[in-house]
Amino acid sequence: MSRFAKFAAVGMAAAIALSIGPASAQDAKPEEILKMRQGIFQAVRMNFGPLGGVARGNTAFGPEAVERAEALAALAKVAAQGFPAGSDNIPGSNTKPAAFQDASFGEKMEAFGAEAAKLAQLGQAGDEAGFKAQIAAVGGSCKACHDSFRN
């Protein structure tokens, strides 16, 4: 993925998230909420996916990997905004209604944010071994939420 495309994806997701911020997400149309949710997680996939190659040693650890980790951390900060109260039955959503009833959903979203932030910090510090190990921790935080709350 080109640097421009990556930042365009992050920018798009951030713009959508900010345009439907916490105060207005309650009033947003369901299709707007779904677009925001899907946009954020598409950008997460676009940035996290290539990091698997870094973890496996197939892709070099370097500035691009660190930039992807930083983008991922930024996306993790806004990800929960895609799940405002009352958005549990949006047609086309892959989110189980339990996500809106179970307090552990918020905890798992916070864990994703913390793990992504740690990944970015390790990358910025140039800690290649720690960075590679942390990729698995980020993936585990994603899986924990998906296993419980994604169809």
Side-chain angles (χ1 to χ4, degrees):
M1 163 187 262
S2 76
R3 185 177 182 142
F4 173 77
K6 177 184 69 158
F7 285 111
V10 172
M12 175 189 72
I16 292 169
L18 292 174
S19 70
I20 308 175
S24 65
Q26 298 292 334
D27 301 323
K29 295 178 183 176
E31 60 272 11
E32 293 171 331
I33 294 169
L34 184 60
K35 283 182 186 179
M36 176 178 67
R37 189 182 295 172
Q38 291 173 338
I40 290 169
F41 287 102
Q42 178 63 29
V44 165
R45 280 189 297 278
M46 292 172 73
N47 284 285
F48 186 67
L51 293 177
V54 176
R56 291 186 297 278
N58 299 331
T59 305
F61 169 77
E64 184 178 338
V66 175
E67 289 171 4
R68 288 185 183 281
E70 290 168 344
L72 188 64
L75 289 161
K77 286 183 181 180
V78 298
Q81 292 179 19
F83 301 90
S87 67
D88 52 334
N89 289 312
I90 298 176
S93 174
N94 290 324
T95 307
K96 293 179 180 178
F100 300 89
Q101 302 158 358
D102 189 330
S104 72
F105 178 74
E107 294 165 4
K108 289 177 183 186
M109 290 293 283
E110 287 178 18
F112 167 54
E115 298 295 357
K118 184 175 180 184
L119 180 66
Q121 291 167 351
L122 290 165
Q124 292 162 349
D127 182 350
E128 182 175 352
F131 186 86
K132 288 179 176 181
Q134 186 62 21
I135 291 169
V138 174
S141 71
C142 293
K143 184 178 183 328
C145 202
H146 287 192
D147 286 350
S148 299
F149 302 114
R150 186 167 191 250
N151 287 321

